[in-house]
Amino acid sequence: MLDTLLEIVNTVRNNKGLATLSDLKPSQDLRNDLGFDSLDLAELTVRIEKEHGIDIFADGFVLTVSDILAKLAK
Amino acid sequence: MKNILVTGVKQGLGLQITKTLLEQNYKVYGVAIGLSADLQTLKSQHGDRLNIITADLANIEGSIEQIFTQTIGFDVPLHGFVNNAAVAYDDIISNLNYDPLFRMYQINVFSPFMLTKHVIRNMLLHNIQGSIVHISSVSVHTGYKGLAMYASTKGALEAFSRTTAREWGERCIRSNCLVAGFMETGMSATLSVNQKDRIFKRTSLKKPTELDSVANMVEYLLSDKSLSVTGSNVFVDSGTI
């Protein structure tokens, strides 16, 4: 799960000119650690929805990598 | 080939927009409340380049399921969205009834807001620098007796479009309103000849707005010819000044 999420995160980062990350940690903050703003998070959401069929922002806030993993585990 | 989602294609302006786009080699995903003979003729002429989606936009969740989950999916990139579908509930304000008002807001306002959400998500997924065009009405800018409620729905779209442009401009997603004048379509069929004459006399050209002019401006706003045009209201209204 973390590997496919890393791939998606890197797609969004590369689209805005940020470097590819080699790994993800559950504690990482999507904004402060991964460098995403609200528009990037929208792109992240739709790319995750395509892969997993889940809209991670459909209910409540998602702040960290571990929040995403929790949504996908449901 | 560019894929464009157009709503309200059964008749009138939506049918004309669809025809214009098909003639200029776009692929159209056309949402219609039902089939018409004219729409079926277009389908027979253009085959796979016209994908008709029969849906009732008043059923917001159901229509989104039909349009995005069942038809467009994740694999079709959308390059443009034309929000054309609308109903007109006309009456003087002292006769206002909630049920038809609510239904008009579902079709004219809530549905296009939700469709725009899914269109933008599609454009993000495919890295598309897309274009959104809302069909507005000159009644937003010039008062007409009986049109307060209808005009307010179009005013909502104009405000929504301007902020869409601001919010998504950095992703090069554009949003504009085409402010149409009164046209000879089913929507104005309830007006008497006398009422129409009074409306047309308020225009510079003294005549109805041509559907063809509106459809061609829609195509311009969708195309790369208008890459610097966003957050605008473009008037095609026989010069209502």
Side-chain angles (χ1 to χ4, degrees):
Chain A
M1 191 74 86
L2 211 53
D3 286 347
T4 56
L5 186 56
L6 175 64
E7 200 173 316
I8 294 169
V9 164
N10 277 329
T11 300
V12 179
R13 279 177 63 87
N14 294 160
N15 280 346
K16 66 179 300 188
L18 294 176
T20 302
L21 298 173
S22 55
D23 59 5
L24 278 182
K25 297 179 186 66
S27 62
Q28 280 175 317
D29 185 280
L30 303 176
R31 289 175 183 266
N32 298 327
D33 298 323
L34 300 187
F36 290 163
D37 64 17
S38 56
L39 305 194
D40 302 323
L41 292 174
E43 183 185 343
L44 181 76
T45 301
V46 69
R47 292 191 183 284
I48 290 173
E49 189 179 11
K50 185 192 175 198
E51 289 303 317
H52 300 279
I54 294 170
D55 180 350
I56 58 169
F57 278 96
D59 54 344
F61 288 100
V62 173
L63 301 174
T64 63
V65 171
S66 103
D67 290 342
I68 296 177
L69 295 173
K71 297 268 181 187
L72 297 183
K74 278 183 186 171
Chain B
M1 191 189 304
K2 287 188 170 181
N3 300 313
I4 312 293
L5 175 66
V6 186
T7 61
V9 303
K10 182 183 171 190
Q11 60 200 6
L13 179 60
L15 184 74
Q16 181 63 46
I17 291 169
T18 303
K19 188 163 176 268
T20 298
L21 295 179
L22 290 169
E23 284 167 356
Q24 300 197 39
N25 214 33
Y26 291 83
K27 177 162 183 173
V28 175
Y29 289 81
V31 182
I33 185 80
L35 293 176
S36 62
D38 288 337
L39 189 56
Q40 283 173 317
T41 302
L42 270 188
K43 176 69 183 167
S44 65
Q45 288 167 344
H46 297 280
D48 288 347
R49 284 203 300 112
L50 173 58
N51 191 329
I52 300 168
I53 306 165
T54 308
D56 178 4
L57 295 173
N59 176 359
I60 292 173
E61 289 186 352
S63 59
I64 282 172
E65 167 81 15
Q66 281 173 277
I67 296 164
F68 288 97
T69 309
Q70 294 177 17
T71 309
I72 293 172
F74 288 110
D75 295 328
V76 175
L78 283 178
H79 302 85
F81 169 40
V82 183
N83 165 37
N84 165 74
V87 293
Y89 165 46
D90 306 339
D91 211 333
I92 59 171
I93 299 163
S94 54
N95 290 341
L96 177 53
N97 283 315
Y98 177 73
D99 286 347
L101 178 70
F102 182 72
R103 181 170 178 276
M104 180 168 67
Y105 262 82
Q106 282 183 305
I107 294 168
N108 295 15
V109 181
F110 303 151
S111 166
F113 285 9
M114 294 304 292
L115 292 173
T116 301
K117 165 188 169 176
H118 290 275
V119 166
I120 289 174
R121 283 179 169 218
N122 178 289
M123 289 172 177
L124 288 174
L125 181 64
H126 296 284
N127 295 328
I128 300 285
Q129 300 183 359
S131 173
I132 297 165
V133 182
H134 297 280
I135 303 299
S136 183
S137 161
V138 72
S139 63
V140 176
H141 304 271
T142 306
Y144 295 88
K145 180 181 165 190
L147 290 189
M149 292 79 80
Y150 173 75
S152 75
T153 66
K154 296 300 188 179
L157 290 179
E158 291 191 7
F160 184 73
S161 173
R162 192 174 293 274
T163 291
T164 305
R166 182 78 185 186
E167 191 170 289
W168 291 96
E170 65 184 80
R171 293 299 182 106
C172 297
I173 294 172
R174 299 183 292 117
S175 181
N176 292 287
C177 283
L178 189 156
V179 186
F182 281 85
M183 294 166 276
E184 292 281 16
T185 65
M187 192 169 281
S188 57
T190 55
L191 297 173
S192 68
V193 172
N194 189 27
Q195 282 173 310
K196 285 183 185 174
D197 279 346
R198 287 212 320 267
I199 288 168
F200 299 145
K201 276 184 186 156
R202 290 170 69 173
T203 68
S204 301
L205 297 175
K206 311 294 181 201
K207 55 186 181 185
T209 296
E210 299 287 344
L211 272 69
D212 203 35
S213 287
V214 176
N216 279 306
M217 183 60 83
V218 168
E219 193 280 326
Y220 167 77
L221 291 170
L222 290 171
S223 74
D224 291 349
K225 290 172 275 192
S226 60
L227 283 180
S228 294
V229 184
T230 192
S232 286
N233 293 331
V234 179
F235 287 74
V236 182
D237 64 349
S238 295
T240 307
I241 50 178

